[in-house]
Amino acid sequence: MKQEPVIRMQNIGKSFPGVRALNDINIDFYPGEVHILLGENGAGKSTLIKILSGVYQQDEGKFFYKEKEEIFYTPVQALNQGISTIHQELSVVPDLTVAENIFLGSEKRKHKFFLNKKLMNDEAAKYIKKIGVYIDPAKIISELSIAEMQMVEIVKSISQEASVVIMDEPTASLSEHEVSSLFKIIRTLKKHNVAIIYISHRLKELFEIGDKITVIKDGEMVKTLNVNDTNEDELISLMVGREITKFFNKKEHVTNQEVLEVKELCKKNCYKNISFSLKKGEVLGISGLVGSGRTEVLLSIFGAMQYDSGEVLLHDKVVKFKNPAQAIKHKLGLVPENRKTQGVLIDETVMNNITLPNLRNNLKGIFLNKPWEKKVSARFIKNLNIKTPSSDTLVKNLSGGNQQKISLAKWLAANIDILLLDEPTHGIDVNAKSEIYSLINEYTVNGGSVILVSSELPEILGICDRVVVMRLGEVSKILPINECDEETIMKFSSISD
């Protein structure tokens, strides 16, 4: 007997003011399969899964779940029916504990009225252990890194024992170790006949975990393929309409001039004895597992987190920025890990975001220089291929990937000397990644210097000149790129080593 799809979408359409997000989408999702949704940022993938999960409702077409026509009006309604979603934008409650987030809406109680926190912590610990990382179930969510928050979202979804699990960029902030643990969980879910709907821009992992791939472009279906019947070149061509050659296209242009030096930097419970230097024209990578202190080091250099001891030297002069504004005055910029709360002003326009760091240097007397704003924003919208109806569109109305590109564009437009990048291609499609790598290359050719934190080892190996490998808050090794491969980096970042 032929297996029926658990979800069937027929002729689905969805529009927003000025944007046709989805048009005539027809996809079936089957139990025990990992079905990949692939496409550039703004292609419509996130809109599609928001219809499945009750965030949006379709304007046209029909949605069948377990052979019954449905429309979910809230995420809670979808979850109660067995559809669990891990969104690209995290939905954790920052003031609750890890365990309280995992069991939010299905709390364990004693005597009907009181939370059984011990039981919740114990149960949460079991699910966390399955993932293969350690996060204290009693810890407040706001104290975690973005990658750790992502792992909590994954644990929460798994704990709900759903029939369908939707994963929107679940590995974007995870290291190779955490990704491997997640894939083990996905394989277990498949064995239990759970349907996995999976969005990712990491083509390598699609072939490792996927069964089918549906390519979406400009809100329309391009093609559905079996994973075993395709390859990366075909998928890229279907997504962007052309082949991408020389993906990294790195040029050698590092000088001997040191522009930044970190000496014995220490921060209690975060990192200790961190020392490295950055040269003019260099891309210095920082690699390591979740919790190794990578992000905290960047925040400390930028003045967003105060370190306890040690020194930061900028052009051979000791500096200690009390806040990011001081760092910006010294021509440092930071693209943070969390774009939504730190990287962009989501209620402002695209133009205002791109030009914000450099407004003071481009005033006409006391007035804003509108022609300059329009010219600069138009240039970076084009260069980074930011999909937006206009430069006056509010950032909150764009996809997560386009928001990330705006977070990068504002610093490229500000003529800074040193760019600190924390997971800069998080949630960005393969075409946009290629464009961003070219922009980083162009930036360093023109004398800029970059410190890059990334969980993607191919990215580290493809665009960096040297790699600082961190483990448990310390530098375990600094390697020139010609002495690096994925195995070497994992060796020096592994906790068990």
Side-chain angles (χ1 to χ4, degrees), residues 459-471:
E459 182 168 272
I460 289 283
L461 296 170
I463 64 174
C464 295
D465 299 291
R466 288 184 298 146
V467 182
V468 177
V469 185
M470 292 188 63
R471 176 174 57 195

Side-chain angles (χ1 to χ4, degrees), residues 137-198:
K139 198 168 186 178
I140 300 297
I141 284 286
S142 60
E143 298 174 1
L144 302 181
S145 69
I146 295 298
E148 288 170 327
M149 292 181 191
Q150 184 73 70
M151 297 307 291
V152 172
E153 291 264 49
I154 292 167
V155 171
K156 180 178 179 179
S157 179
I158 291 167
S159 72
Q160 290 159 344
E161 299 182 356
S163 300
V164 178
V165 176
I166 302 169
M167 299 183 176
D168 190 356
E169 293 286 349
T171 64
S173 296
L174 305 184
S175 70
E176 298 291 323
H177 173 74
E178 287 86 35
V179 170
S180 178
S181 298
L182 173 62
F183 285 179
K184 289 178 183 177
I185 295 295
I186 289 175
R187 293 184 183 103
T188 300
L189 293 174
K190 285 179 62 176
K191 289 177 182 176
H192 287 87
N193 227 28
V194 175
I196 310 289
I197 302 172
Y198 194 97

Side-chain angles (χ1 to χ4, degrees), residues 263-281:
K263 288 185 175 181
E264 299 294 322
L265 219 60
C266 297
K267 173 72 174 177
K268 188 177 180 181
N269 298 325
C270 288
Y271 56 80
K272 62 181 178 179
N273 302 325
I274 303 297
S275 297
F276 59 79
S277 63
L278 175 68
K279 297 177 180 180
K280 186 174 182 179

Side-chain angles (χ1 to χ4, degrees), residues 92-101 104 107 137-142:
V92 290
V93 181
D95 295 329
L96 297 182
T97 68
V98 169
E100 287 167 345
N101 269 272
L104 190 63
E107 292 82 358
K139 198 168 186 178
I140 300 297
I141 284 286
S142 60

Side-chain angles (χ1 to χ4, degrees), residues 107-157:
E107 292 82 358
K108 310 293 183 182
R109 298 185 181 274
K110 55 183 177 182
H111 309 304
K112 293 185 179 180
F113 301 106
F114 302 99
L115 290 179
N116 191 335
K117 292 191 175 183
K118 183 180 184 307
L119 179 59
M120 288 168 63
N121 285 341
D122 290 345
E123 290 292 312
K126 291 178 184 177
Y127 286 115
I128 291 168
K129 186 177 180 180
K130 284 184 179 180
I131 290 288
V133 296
Y134 177 75
I135 302 172
D136 184 356
K139 198 168 186 178
I140 300 297
I141 284 286
S142 60
E143 298 174 1
L144 302 181
S145 69
I146 295 298
E148 288 170 327
M149 292 181 191
Q150 184 73 70
M151 297 307 291
V152 172
E153 291 264 49
I154 292 167
V155 171
K156 180 178 179 179
S157 179

